[in-house]
Amino acid sequence: QVQLAESGGGSVQSGGSLRLSCTASGVTYSRFCMAWFRQRPGKEREGVAGIDNDGDITYADSAKGRFTISQDNTKRTLYLQMNDLKPEDTAMYYCAADPEVRWLLPTYEYWGQGTQVTVSS
């Protein structure tokens, strides 16, 4: 059974940084495409950054230049380094996995439970 467990969320002030982690179990990690999504209060879930099983990466415009997605296949862990955080980044952040390339479409097969990020001004 595929399980994704996010961690690293918290409360920071505007301009601060956080690193989110997502550890996968029950999957052949290197064969999966992974992504980070977020859901802001009152908004639909939106893609933030994605990485395919070749290591190609895509970012949402809101994340470009501030967020970095990476992974450690040996640790079966996906990361999202978030710098220069803004109040509008406040959201529940979710990790997602799928054997097919989904990029930032919210159609991934597997999802974590989420980790809350709160940015105060």
Side-chain angles (χ1 to χ4, degrees):
Q1 183 177 356
V2 177
Q3 291 188 324
L4 303 174
E6 301 98 333
S7 61
S11 297
V12 296
Q13 290 190 327
S14 183
S17 298
L18 284 172
R19 188 176 81 156
L20 306 183
S21 299
C22 169
T23 302
S25 60
V27 301
T28 304
Y29 183 85
S30 61
R31 297 181 183 175
F32 272 63
C33 302
M34 307 291 294
W36 288 99
F37 287 78
R38 69 184 183 186
Q39 189 160 16
R40 294 181 281 182
K43 303 287 187 179
E44 293 187 353
R45 194 170 294 189
E46 60 181 351
V48 175
I51 185 166
D52 73 5
N53 50 12
D54 289 328
D56 295 323
I57 290 171
T58 191
Y59 293 100
D61 287 344
S62 60
K64 290 177 181 176
R66 298 189 301 127
F67 295 0
T68 303
I69 189 172
S70 62
Q71 61 186 357
D72 184 333
N73 287 345
T74 62
K75 296 182 179 179
R76 305 158 69 90
T77 300
L78 180 73
Y79 302 100
L80 185 68
Q81 177 67 44
M82 304 187 295
N83 299 326
D84 190 24
L85 283 161
K86 307 175 188 297
E88 53 264 40
D89 294 317
T90 294
M92 184 71 79
Y93 283 73
Y94 298 90
C95 171
D98 198 291
E100 302 292 331
V101 177
R102 304 290 182 189
W103 291 125
L104 301 183
L105 294 175
T107 54
Y108 282 70
E109 184 171 357
Y110 304 104
W111 294 85
Q113 294 299 307
T115 185
Q116 178 68 38
V117 171
T118 302
V119 185
S120 57
S121 57

